[in-house]
Amino acid sequence: MEALDRSTEPGRLVLVAELDGVVAGFASGEERRHWSGDPELYVGELVVAKPFEGQGVGRALIDALTDHAKQRGLATVTLDTGAANTNARAFYGRLGFDEEDVKLTKWVDGMIGG
């Protein structure tokens, strides 16, 4: 996993959530510049193991990432998810994330999705 391999680099972190001694999920973050120029914490990965979904693990990881961003004086926490991933978009919306960017993709004939 790239996030774990790079976790010791400056401005990067990996958080692991455990419940009853079992890894329930993890998240990775990276300090960078938002398109506005302000410093941000970019969430590269947020994963919750299926048996732990709906138990607050994802929320706890996002809360911990947000606390880290505050402590570091970062202006925002950002992440990407697919437009069709309505469950994730609703989850992030409930946690206070605003949809900000729109990514457009044109499939070229003969390529994946085209």
Side-chain angles (χ1 to χ4, degrees):
M1 168 171 53
E2 181 183 356
L4 194 54
D5 292 340
R6 298 183 65 195
S7 65
T8 59
E9 294 177 11
R12 294 182 174 270
L13 75 151
V14 174
L15 303 176
V16 178
E18 275 188 30
L19 288 175
D20 298 324
V22 177
V23 173
F26 74 94
S28 67
E30 169 186 2
E31 291 180 29
R32 65 182 199 183
R33 292 264 170 221
H34 184 265
W35 59 262
S36 67
D38 292 328
E40 71 176 3
L41 181 69
Y42 177 75
V43 180
E45 298 164 300
L46 175 67
V47 178
V48 175
K50 287 245 183 253
F52 299 100
E53 289 179 355
Q55 296 183 35
V57 173
R59 175 182 293 274
L61 288 165
I62 290 293
D63 288 348
L65 289 167
T66 301
D67 288 344
H68 176 81
K70 285 179 189 176
Q71 291 170 7
R72 301 281 298 160
L74 306 175
T76 57
V77 175
T78 62
L79 54 85
D80 294 311
T81 193
N85 193 346
T86 55
N87 288 340
R89 290 171 62 197
F91 168 75
Y92 294 124
R94 288 190 302 273
L95 296 181
F97 285 82
D98 294 321
E99 294 191 8
E100 181 178 60
D101 294 329
V102 175
K103 179 179 180 179
L104 304 173
T105 303
K106 180 178 179 180
W107 297 103
V108 178
D109 290 341
M111 300 302 290
I112 295 174

